[in-house]
Amino acid sequence: MMERYIIEWCVLVYLVVISILLYTGKGGLFIPIYNALSRQEQDKYNKKVFYKGIARFYAVCAMATLIGFLGDFFKYTFLLYLTLVIVLLAVVVLNLWMAFSKNLKNGSADIK
């Protein structure tokens, strides 16, 4: 039982560390879809805005994970469901932000 809590806290620490690295602009390695793009495609995006947006997503997932862990520890099942809803909403918001944001260097001409 104790091993489970250790693994849960390791996941939480991982999410927080990745979020901090991305927010400071040094964690591009942890965005696989961005790394799969060609150099010309990568140059179209504003790295700072892109990394900070993904960092916020990781931070929301870390907070939701903490809520889920507390729910598991105190045996409140509704907190687990709340965690799932938060993560799903974060994924939807991240996808909408990626689709409609103006994080392209040359403006929003390609988005319209």
Side-chain angles (χ1 to χ4, degrees):
M1 187 70 167
M2 191 62 170
E3 295 87 14
R4 181 176 169 190
Y5 292 121
I6 291 171
I7 292 171
E8 289 176 349
W9 283 105
C10 287
V11 168
L12 179 65
V13 168
Y14 171 78
L15 289 171
V16 169
V17 167
I18 299 303
S19 177
I20 291 170
L21 282 174
L22 284 170
Y23 198 78
T24 58
K26 299 178 181 165
L29 174 69
F30 299 103
I31 307 174
I33 193 69
Y34 181 74
N35 294 325
L37 295 174
S38 66
R39 185 57 65 187
Q40 292 108 359
E41 288 291 319
Q42 285 181 0
D43 290 339
K44 289 182 182 179
Y45 292 95
N46 187 347
K47 265 187 173 180
K48 286 185 178 183
V49 173
F50 189 68
Y51 284 4
K52 285 186 179 187
I54 301 294
R56 289 182 182 119
F57 171 73
Y58 272 100
V60 167
C61 287
M63 287 185 271
T65 304
L66 178 63
I67 291 170
F69 293 162
L70 292 174
D72 184 38
F73 184 74
F74 293 114
K75 307 296 185 230
Y76 292 131
T77 55
F78 75 92
L79 288 178
L80 176 63
Y81 297 128
L82 179 64
T83 299
L84 294 174
V85 168
I86 290 171
V87 170
L88 287 174
L89 285 174
V91 168
V92 168
V93 168
L94 177 70
N95 285 319
L96 289 173
W97 174 76
M98 297 274 296
F100 299 113
S101 72
K102 296 177 183 174
N103 65 346
L104 294 175
K105 284 184 179 178
N106 59 357
S108 62
D110 294 334
I111 295 174
K112 293 180 183 177

